[in-house]
Amino acid sequence: MSHFTYRDGALFAEDIPLARIAGEVGTPFYCYSTAALTENYLAFADALADLNGLVCFALKANSNLAVIRTLARLGAGADVVSEGELRQALAAGIPAHKAVFSGVGKTRTEMEFALTAGIGQFNVESAPELDALSHVASGMGKTAIVALRVNPDVDAQTHHKIATGRSEDKFGIAYEDSAALYARGETLPGIDMAGLAVHIGSQLISLGPFRAAFQRVAGLVRELRSAGLGVRRLDLGGGLGIVYDSEEPPHPTDYAAMVRDEMADLDCELVFEPGRLIAGNAGVLVTRVIFVKHGASKRFVIVDAAMNDLLRPSLYDAHHGVEPVIEPAPGAALSRADVVGPICETGDVLAGSRDLPALEDGDLLVLRSAGAYGAVMASSYNTRPPAPEILVNGDQYDVIRARQSYDILLARDRMSDWLTVRASNRRSRSSSTRQQIALTRRSAPAPSVGSSPLTSAFILPRPGINRLPTR
Ligand SMILES: Cc1ncc(COP(=O)(O)O)c(C=O)c1O
């Protein structure tokens, strides 16, 4: 059931009209539903409840602390891919022993941090990573619990940029090399080989590729055991798809039945890493129409959200449903339009060729299914403050990440010493600095930039350049 529905002609998030939030918070903004997050998490966790499993929410899908805490309260662990995400999981209340650390390029510093925190599992993706982890852990007098991530060479039949289990992908250890590396891992100091991990991609809309990959992994478990090696844990990754448009992904209960078929007799603890399934349809992006422009061959609805807020359409040609916040009258005429953002890129199209009713400046639209891989991928490209995030819970809402001010955006940058007037007062000057200072003396004072740290005193205009011609 969606928790973003029309009531009396206005789109609500649970019990709150989205137009009210837009009026109070401004646009664009992400809006998540607590009820949807809860329902999605429980649908997955309950389906697998009999399987001795831990559900670790993949923070890469949505790492807002309030979202993580909502899931942590339901019992979720975390799948993290960086020290930053591990810090977020811990800050949101997920204990380290319920966190798994995935990713092909963990640095030694990240390994140390995770070991100090007491992380539950490292998913190791290469021989050099295993050696490095052994070195770091044994040097700290600790033991790293390891699942070797196997690349089963299975095509997930999803968008090629989110397929991770083919032999040409950078992820996991080549299937044929896995048994030997597992055996070597057993001999390394500071390493406890717990089992295997697999994740073949995201937004899978059929069970076939999962089943093929799990069968490969099960075969490897049997091979390892027959060689006398212990395998007690299997991490089956994430990947279950959701409905963006007209897809018909498997229900978690069908997925669970398949897992039971393939894995139950192996008698292993299981770990799952769903992300999109939990957060994707629990969030929308709300945006306001700035202009409607009738081009030579198209209607463009130019909105105040852009690819810096929601990258998926530009990056993956992804589809997000678009709906007006005020429900169109029954039978309202629809016509084709591209919903585009203000960014100076032709690719800044949030939704192309959609049948939409007449729209005008100031109207609100939602982009659906934006709760996963939305805000986490935001940037400030074109020096646009990324959209804030809102969490709704029944009839209350809260701003769980504020909109960044321009002051904060500008304050991220520092002016190099050699570009400041201050440098002119230093004794030890390089000759190029001296030239710069000479220029400064001849130049007019720069305009003030308000409360940013780059006040006029530090700006060094170059005379004759970057000025409009004078008559
Ligand atoms: C290792 C790993 N685990 C879990 C996930 C989450 O996948 P999804 O959001 O499709 O469930 C990903 C994302 O691709 C991943 O790379």
Side-chain angles (χ1 to χ4, degrees):
M1 159 190 175
S2 174
H3 291 277
F4 300 94
T5 51
Y6 287 108
R7 290 189 197 171
D8 297 328
L11 197 57
F12 276 58
E14 301 192 20
D15 297 330
I16 305 202
L18 284 168
R20 186 181 128 202
I21 305 176
E24 292 169 3
V25 173
T27 53
F29 63 91
Y30 277 97
C31 180
Y32 310 125
S33 152
T34 301
L37 287 166
T38 305
E39 226 166 69
N40 296 344
Y41 174 82
L42 292 179
F44 190 78
D46 290 352
L48 295 152
D50 60 322
L51 277 168
N52 186 21
L54 173 65
V55 178
C56 291
F57 175 60
L59 261 60
K60 65 172 72 66
N62 187 322
S63 57
N64 187 291
L65 293 187
V67 169
I68 305 169
R69 171 76 58 92
T70 301
L71 299 170
R73 282 183 165 182
L74 300 169
D79 168 44
V80 304
V81 290
S82 66
E83 179 178 328
E85 283 191 356
L86 179 54
R87 286 176 183 269
Q88 285 172 310
L90 298 173
I94 294 186
H97 69 87
K98 286 173 80 172
V100 302
F101 199 160
S102 304
V104 294
K106 305 167 194 79
T107 66
R108 287 161 178 78
T109 315
E110 288 182 311
M111 291 174 183
E112 265 174 36
F113 180 83
L115 284 163
T116 305
I119 194 148
Q121 176 177 307
F122 287 89
N123 289 349
V124 168
E125 304 219 15
S126 66
E129 183 189 338
L130 188 60
D131 290 331
L133 185 58
S134 164
H135 191 252
V136 171
S138 55
M140 294 171 72
K142 295 199 179 280
T143 300
I145 300 167
V146 168
L148 270 200
R149 179 168 172 186
V150 177
N151 181 320
D153 194 17
V154 169
D155 186 345
Q157 290 160 25
T158 182
H159 189 279
H160 71 100
K161 286 189 182 161
I162 48 174
T164 59
R166 304 159 301 184
S167 59
E168 67 266 31
D169 298 323
K170 69 177 176 180
F171 300 97
I173 293 152
Y175 189 82
E176 1 354 292
D177 299 340
S178 298
L181 189 61
Y182 197 96
R184 192 158 78 72
E186 293 268 26
T187 68
L188 291 175
I191 297 291
D192 168 12
M193 296 302 290
L196 301 173
V198 67
H199 171 81
I200 60 169
S202 194
Q203 184 58 8
L204 274 71
I205 50 166
S206 73
L207 290 179
F210 282 119
R211 191 185 289 279
F214 295 171
Q215 284 173 349
R216 298 273 278 164
V217 170
L220 196 53
V221 173
R222 293 190 184 98
E223 184 184 332
L224 292 170
R225 284 182 175 164
S226 64
L229 299 164
V231 182
R232 62 178 190 276
R233 190 179 293 175
L234 292 175
D235 181 336
L236 300 181
L240 206 48
I242 63 169
V243 179
Y244 285 98
D245 189 8
S246 54
E247 304 89 339
E248 291 179 2
H251 189 272
T253 51
D254 301 327
Y255 172 83
M258 181 272 300
V259 170
R260 230 171 264 122
D261 275 2
E262 302 300 336
M263 298 299 178
D265 68 317
L266 295 175
D267 195 25
C268 283
E269 304 158 18
L270 297 180
V271 177
F272 301 92
E273 303 170 353
R276 189 186 307 271
L277 178 79
I278 291 171
N281 275 320
V284 295
L285 176 61
V286 181
T287 183
R288 200 179 280 283
V289 176
I290 304 177
F291 302 118
V292 178
K293 167 168 151 176
H294 294 276
S297 60
K298 264 189 184 171
R299 174 168 64 132
F300 294 102
V301 177
I302 305 169
V303 296
D304 62 3
M307 64 189 282
N308 75 300
D309 300 302
L310 181 63
L311 186 58
R312 297 189 67 258
S314 310
L315 188 61
Y316 308 129
D317 296 319
H319 178 100
H320 287 267
V322 185
E323 279 165 28
V325 164
I326 301 301
E327 193 172 21
L334 304 180
S335 67
R336 278 283 146 109
D338 280 6
V339 179
V340 301
I343 282 188
C344 296
E345 295 267 355
T346 307
D348 183 22
V349 177
L350 295 170
S353 300
R354 301 303 171 84
D355 291 327
L356 292 171
L359 291 165
E360 55 187 49
D361 309 2
D363 285 350
L364 291 169
L365 295 176
V366 293
L367 288 135
R368 286 196 173 264
S369 317
Y373 306 104
V376 281
M377 287 192 185
S379 73
S380 54
Y381 185 39
N382 277 204
T383 315
R384 292 168 47 84
E389 292 168 83
I390 309 297
L391 182 63
V392 169
N393 185 18
D395 60 2
Q396 41 176 346
Y397 81 86
D398 202 8
V399 179
I400 56 172
R401 182 175 295 172
R403 195 183 305 281
Q404 263 175 32
S405 68
Y406 287 110
D407 282 349
I408 288 176
L409 276 181
L410 274 111
R412 295 177 308 181
D413 299 345
R414 313 305 309 171
M415 193 56 80
S416 306
D417 262 6
W418 61 86
L419 296 172
T420 66
V421 174
R422 241 187 227 155
S424 69
N425 299 326
R426 297 233 172 94
R427 291 199 155 221
S428 55
R429 293 169 184 160
S430 70
S431 62
S432 72
T433 308
R434 269 188 223 113
Q435 283 167 10
Q436 295 279 297
I437 291 161
L439 287 173
T440 315
R441 289 198 181 117
R442 274 182 280 151
S443 66
S448 164
V449 286
S451 56
S452 90
L454 306 182
T455 55
S456 58
F458 300 116
I459 287 183
L460 189 87
R462 295 183 63 194
I465 298 181
N466 295 336
R467 295 237 183 98
L468 289 174
T470 48
R471 284 170 199 235

